[in-house]
Amino acid sequence: MSRVRFLTAEPIDPAGVRAPILASWQRSRQLQVDADEIELPYLRDPDIDTPLTRTALPVLRNLREALDGQPVSIILTDPAGLVLSRMTADNDLQRHLDRVLLAPGFSYAEEFVGTNGIGTALEVGAPTHVFGHEHYAEHLEDLACAGVPIHHPVSGRTVGVVDLTCWRKDAGSLLLTLAKTTAEQIRQALLAETSVHELELLHEYVRTCRRMTGIVFALNNDVVMLNDYARAVLDPADQAALLSRAPEAFAPGHCTSMDVPLPSGMMARMHCRLVPGTDGTAGLVVHAKLRHPPTEVTEIRPSAPMGQLPGLVGSAPTWLRACREVEQVYRSGDWLALEGEPGVGKLAILRAVQLRRQPVGRLEVLDGGQAGPDARWNGSVRETLYGGIDSVVIQHVDRMSGPRLRGLSAALQEARTAERDQPLWVAVTLGAGSPAAELEPLLRLFPSTVEVPALRLHLDDLPQLVSLFLARLGHSGHLACSPEAMQMLMRSSWPGNAAQLHDMLRQVVHHRRAGTIQPADLPAEARSVSRRRLSNLEVMERDAIVRALGDANGNKVQAARTLGMSRASIYRKIREFGIVVSDV
């Protein structure tokens, strides 16, 4: 049996297991879920007085009456998989569900139970059915379940799951269909309870998100909506500060644009717009840009020159803060550890600081990732440290082995105490979240650490980066990016950061050397909003799907037929790779 072979790490035939189930099994194994035991967290008194439960329970009671004693359990959960309600007409089924803790107060999230209709539906964000041995936990093998996420009609966010569970032997093809119908009835019931004002506010919020980049949020007395960018760049304290000040725009005569100092030290420029309703004001939509307060530079760094570092662009506060902190550490003479995801521009910042602060000085760059087993590498490091170099950057120290790290630490310690005509400045770079234990002895030599933000956290800088990279590629003044292509670039989460953008533009200029870059000129990866780096095989698969969709003018069925895959498979792949079909 495929599941047993998977659990015992034996090879299995992928064709014998549905792809969503196999992916869920792999997630369950990575989460170290017990396959032979069910132990779940328990909440004694879950909150069942919520808009979801008040709206959904009448729908579920009607379904229970319609099933009329059939051995099917109707289950409602919150968005974290916590069971809020269970309606079961069959006593044997109810006793079994009690034994496997599929009952109110217990969470059936995938991280606790592994593959199941509730947790897996939440994980993939789509209707999911799991039959018998497809469950990860062996105690669920006698069951079949179909779970469907419930989406709020205004915010669009998942507010819960409706799940139908029965004996495996009684499961039919209509189980998932019935669950989908029930979820839609609940969504419609939520919509009926939604006021006209909330719908008007939603419409204006969505329109603003499409037109504007940066932070966008909307609110009234009952609803708060924030776009993903706001959630990414603002910590909870900053979010609360903006939300608390926004209602001032409701006051008669109050200015609809205002500067708001944030707890993080940044300043937000908010532009507020009242949304008129059918019988009053529907709410408020706010667009905000982040910047540092004008007094910050003069108070903290009175002698520091204004402007961006040479050779760099970008005005987002998170980016400018990283640049400023690196420059401050360089001026102090302290050695520096620079942390960040691959491709964010760590070396570019260090070169720019060196160019501004010591334009005639010498900077040497060594790559710790290339140290490998070569015993001569530490010797070359010592030669560099004592060779009259003013500044040394050692990249990728987190990729070095233990012996190489110890040798590097010893060489740096000696160089730190050696007599020199000019002080030596050393910086190391490492990836975000690098293991601290192995690096700790080395990092003791570097009293300051600065984190460079990922590109997705300062996407407002992307247009400037595009212009800069086109200039570096020799096309400044000859090639520009159209608004439509720029909008597509802004939608990506850029897991490879600025380096990925540069590589993409290098591909573009091979076939478009003058004029305006259009969406059709962008490679397949620009049509994907995946938040992770894809493997080479996944890249090939994504590119093939994008080409097929382009040839079929976005028709998924025709594209699936061309590729020889099922319609369900192409839908799953589009969702998995984040392919933007509407722009293909």
Side-chain angles (χ1 to χ4, degrees):
M1 189 173 59
S2 296
R3 176 181 164 277
V4 174
R5 295 180 65 85
F6 178 86
L7 292 175
T8 54
E10 296 181 33
I12 63 173
D13 179 8
V17 184
R18 292 190 292 127
I21 299 300
L22 182 57
S24 178
W25 285 356
Q26 291 168 341
R27 288 194 301 269
S28 303
R29 181 161 61 188
Q30 290 170 358
L31 291 167
Q32 299 182 339
V33 177
D34 287 331
D36 57 356
E37 189 176 14
I38 295 181
E39 291 185 2
L40 307 181
Y42 178 66
L43 180 64
R44 181 176 297 277
D45 295 309
D47 184 7
I48 57 173
D49 185 20
T50 66
L52 171 65
T53 53
R54 289 194 297 269
T55 305
L57 289 179
V59 175
L60 301 184
R61 293 189 188 103
N62 290 338
L63 176 61
R64 181 180 60 183
E65 293 177 4
L67 291 175
D68 191 23
Q70 296 296 313
V72 177
S73 182
I74 307 165
I75 297 163
L76 178 70
T77 81
D78 72 2
L82 179 71
V83 178
L84 302 175
S85 171
R86 186 188 73 187
M87 302 178 186
T88 310
D90 182 81
N91 290 333
D92 290 339
L93 179 61
Q94 179 147 306
R95 282 191 293 269
H96 186 74
L97 296 182
D98 285 340
R99 284 194 295 270
V100 297
L101 305 182
L102 184 47
F106 292 98
S107 175
Y108 250 66
E110 230 183 33
E111 62 181 297
F112 301 122
V113 194
T115 307
N116 73 93
I118 294 169
T120 306
L122 285 170
E123 188 67 31
V124 302
T128 301
H129 62 279
V130 181
F131 293 139
H133 296 294
E134 291 181 331
H135 288 93
Y136 192 77
E138 65 179 32
H139 296 294
L140 303 179
E141 291 178 347
D142 291 332
L143 300 175
C145 52
V148 180
I150 304 167
H151 300 289
H152 193 276
V154 173
S155 68
R157 298 195 176 276
T158 300
V159 295
V161 166
V162 61
D163 172 84
L164 301 183
T165 295
C166 65
W167 297 113
R168 178 184 59 185
K169 60 182 178 60
D170 297 325
S173 59
L174 294 180
L175 189 67
L176 184 60
T177 302
L178 182 57
K180 290 179 181 178
T181 301
T182 305
E184 177 59 21
Q185 289 175 348
I186 295 172
R187 195 190 74 84
Q188 291 295 335
L190 286 169
L191 181 62
E193 294 295 322
T194 300
S195 69
V196 174
H197 280 176
E198 289 178 356
L199 295 176
E200 292 168 337
L201 181 63
L202 170 65
H203 175 76
E204 187 60 28
Y205 166 74
V206 171
R207 193 173 74 89
T208 303
C209 288
R210 289 173 177 168
R211 290 175 52 245
M212 312 293 290
T213 61
I215 297 167
V216 179
F217 64 91
L219 72 162
N220 61 19
N221 291 333
D222 301 310
V223 172
V224 174
M225 293 175 279
L226 285 85
N227 66 346
D228 288 339
Y229 182 76
R231 297 177 189 276
V233 301
L234 297 174
D235 61 31
D238 286 351
Q239 292 179 23
L242 285 179
L243 293 172
S244 64
R245 288 293 303 276
E248 293 179 11
F250 284 105
H254 196 281
C255 181
T256 56
S257 295
M258 66 184 82
D259 290 325
V260 179
L262 302 178
S264 63
M266 293 184 290
M267 181 75 75
R269 179 68 173 175
M270 291 201 315
H271 304 278
C272 309
R273 185 171 68 258
L274 295 176
V275 179
T278 54
D279 56 351
T281 300
L284 186 71
V285 172
V286 178
H287 175 240
K289 295 274 188 178
L290 294 179
R291 61 183 179 85
H292 283 282
T295 58
E296 182 172 345
V297 174
T298 56
E299 290 178 357
I300 298 177
R301 299 172 54 229
S303 61
M306 300 293 289
Q308 180 60 273
L309 291 170
L312 302 182
V313 296
S315 57
T318 52
W319 169 256
L320 291 178
R321 182 170 59 229
C323 294
R324 185 180 67 252
E325 289 176 353
V326 172
E327 189 171 9
Q328 286 175 333
V329 174
Y330 185 93
R331 291 174 62 220
S332 73
D334 286 341
W335 289 6
L336 171 69
L338 203 56
E339 185 179 71
E341 296 177 6
V344 295
K346 298 186 286 294
L347 183 58
I349 294 178
L350 293 169
R351 290 189 186 278
V353 168
Q354 164 83 8
L355 185 61
R356 168 179 280 182
R357 288 298 170 186
Q358 203 172 2
V360 297
R362 296 176 59 194
L363 181 143
E364 186 77 14
V365 179
L366 303 173
D367 191 346
Q370 296 179 356
D374 187 356
R376 295 172 297 177
W377 192 83
N378 282 339
S380 66
V381 171
R382 292 177 184 273
E383 292 177 7
T384 300
L385 295 175
Y386 293 98
I389 302 297
D390 301 292
S391 303
V392 177
V393 175
I394 306 172
Q395 294 181 284
H396 309 132
V397 295
D398 52 319
R399 300 180 187 176
M400 298 177 66
S401 64
R404 291 288 170 266
L405 281 172
R406 289 190 290 273
L408 177 60
S409 299
L412 289 173
Q413 182 64 53
E414 293 174 10
R416 191 182 187 91
T417 57
E419 293 185 3
R420 295 174 55 96
D421 294 334
Q422 295 291 333
L424 173 69
W425 189 73
V426 180
V428 295
T429 71
L430 59 154
S434 299
E438 293 183 359
L439 293 171
E440 183 60 32
L442 174 68
L443 294 181
R444 291 195 191 105
L445 301 172
F446 298 86
S448 298
T449 299
V450 174
E451 183 176 359
V452 181
L455 178 56
R456 62 182 175 274
L457 301 182
H458 60 109
L459 272 179
D460 286 353
D461 291 339
L462 192 135
Q464 299 175 61
L465 277 171
V466 169
S467 299
L468 174 67
F469 290 158
L470 288 176
R472 289 182 178 176
L473 292 167
H475 294 267
S476 179
H478 304 287
L479 188 60
C481 191
S482 70
E484 295 78 12
M486 185 63 71
Q487 183 180 19
M488 183 175 289
L489 295 177
M490 293 287 288
R491 245 190 329 242
S492 175
S493 58
W494 298 104
N497 296 295
Q500 181 187 0
L501 174 64
H502 186 269
D503 290 344
M504 179 185 293
L505 292 174
R506 183 187 287 117
Q507 298 177 50
V508 171
V509 300
H510 279 316
H511 63 270
R512 169 69 72 181
R513 299 177 182 84
T516 304
I517 299 172
Q518 300 295 336
D521 297 317
L522 298 175
E525 62 180 301
R527 305 174 190 274
S528 170
V529 293
S530 174
R531 295 186 177 275
R532 62 179 176 87
R533 277 287 197 181
L534 303 180
S535 67
N536 292 336
L537 183 60
E538 289 174 322
V539 167
M540 295 172 60
E541 191 173 15
R542 178 202 62 197
D543 292 356
I545 293 173
V546 169
R547 286 193 298 269
L549 287 167
D551 294 341
N553 294 318
N555 187 307
K556 302 182 188 70
V557 176
Q558 184 178 337
R561 189 179 303 118
T562 301
L563 294 168
M565 64 171 57
S566 69
R567 183 169 59 180
S569 294
I570 197 170
Y571 273 86
R572 175 173 57 81
K573 290 294 184 182
I574 288 171
R575 184 171 61 252
E576 180 181 344
F577 296 143
I579 297 172
V580 182
V581 179
S582 59
D583 293 327
V584 180

